[in-house]
Amino acid sequence: MPSNKQVLVAGRPSGIPQPEHFEIVDGEMPTIGEGQILVRNQYLSVEPAMRGWLADQSNYSQPIEIGSVMRSLTVGEVIESRTPDFAVGDMLMGWFGWQEFAATDADAVIRKVTDTDLSPSLALGVLGLNGVTALLALEKVGRPVAGDTVVVSTAAGSVGSAVGQIAKLLGCQTVGITGGPEKVAICLDDFGYDAALDYKAPGLEEALAAACPHGANVYFDNTAGAISDAVYRHLALHARIVTCGTASVASWDPVPTGPRVERLIMTKRLTMGGFVIFDHMNEFDAASRRLAQWVREGKLSYREEIIDGIENCPGAIADLYKGQNFGKRLIRLARF
Ligand SMILES: NC(=O)c1ccc[n+]([C@@H]2O[C@H](COP(=O)([O-])OP(=O)(O)OC[C@H]3O[C@@H](n4cnc5c(N)ncnc54)[C@H](OP(=O)(O)O)[C@@H]3O)[C@@H](O)[C@H]2O)c1
């Protein structure tokens, strides 16, 4: 009998998940019941949000239970089907977990991967959770118009790089904030930002003033923390803040304190809106198709960082919080 390598949650992290919070086991090959499909995973996603999914606090979803397979979006092929909805050979993107094989109900499927001219891996990045979040959060909460200045944090990353390019497609001036000179160069050369600022170098405040002489109209915030404190001081009248991620907040309990922004919100008539992609899953497929069209037309670039082998899953989240990833981090399974 072939086995099913799985990454189980072995402990609940109090902060950023580390390798010791996971265990790799040789599980049994699953069998399917009526209405189910058997999926062989090809790519597993690694997300900063996994920190939240594993935490038992400050969350928007049920914490993953200790001992269960790590929750993850993946792309895989149907190798057995007992539902008319999916056929053997279909490529699917869905909640199939950090494992080689998943026996699952149809409701775990997010979408069929029909863009056969593009790599299936894109269904987890620029055409997946990250790209769709960038597009919908920017449009719904940021509401940019041509001529606006849009500032983006984690600008070289999977969400941020898409935000910067989509804002540019809409006729905006784009200012990316990222960590280190290599990622600054990527923002300028690969993702077409008009300006890219290194938050790890001194002088972020002055750099923001120079890059946004009339203030920023939209701030797409993926980090919170000190980066956002600096950006808030350079917002234009009626600016919109898209609160999409909190990558720089090291502790959720106690939460760090910072400047009081209420007076700024009032005097500048700012609007701050939280966004979680899971409120918008009914728009996912249409958004993904729009993004795919831009990719085909060469208007939307992306970077992927593909790591081979399920044994690399346990340390993969912590690396994101050290800024060690260059693009969308994926784990490719050995059987492909
Ligand atoms: N709300 C939603 O529905 C939703 C959906 C998807 C993603 N997100 C959020 O979007 C953000 C980006 O996600 P992604 O998947 O595209 O990841 P990513 O940007 O490809 O990778 C994470 C990046 O976060 C930055 N980072 C890590 N620790 C940091 C710190 N202490 N201070 C400042 N920056 C730090 C690093 O970039 P640098 O090297 O530039 O520092 C790192 O490369 C995350 O906050 C994520 O949670 C939200």
Side-chain angles (χ1 to χ4, degrees), residues 151-154 177 199 204-205 208 219-235 241-249 258-259 261 264 270 272:
V151 174
V152 185
S153 54
T154 71
I177 303 177
Y199 72 88
L204 178 62
E205 197 82 41
L208 277 164
Y219 173 40
F220 198 104
D221 183 4
N222 283 324
T223 58
I227 294 171
S228 299
D229 296 344
V231 176
Y232 284 10
R233 291 191 276 272
H234 296 275
L235 293 175
I241 300 157
V242 185
T243 302
C244 180
T246 59
S248 82
V249 178
V261 291
L264 195 65
L270 306 176
M272 192 178 198

Side-chain angles (χ1 to χ4, degrees), residues 48 130 133 157-159 178-179 183 199 222 244-245 248 275 277 320 325:
N130 313 81
T133 295
S158 191
V159 173
T178 189
K183 288 193 178 180
Y199 72 88
N222 283 324
C244 180
S248 82
F275 181 91
I277 184 60
L320 297 181
N325 64 310

Side-chain angles (χ1 to χ4, degrees), residues 284-299:
F284 200 102
D285 196 56
S288 187
R289 285 170 196 275
R290 286 174 66 195
L291 293 159
Q293 197 49 37
W294 280 329
V295 169
R296 287 190 187 97
E297 291 168 1
K299 294 176 176 167

Side-chain angles (χ1 to χ4, degrees), residues 8-12 53-54 62-71:
L8 305 185
V9 178
R12 193 162 303 290
W53 303 345
L54 284 161
Q62 279 298 312
I64 305 167
E65 281 181 29
I66 308 292
S68 62
V69 174
M70 177 60 195
R71 184 187 301 159

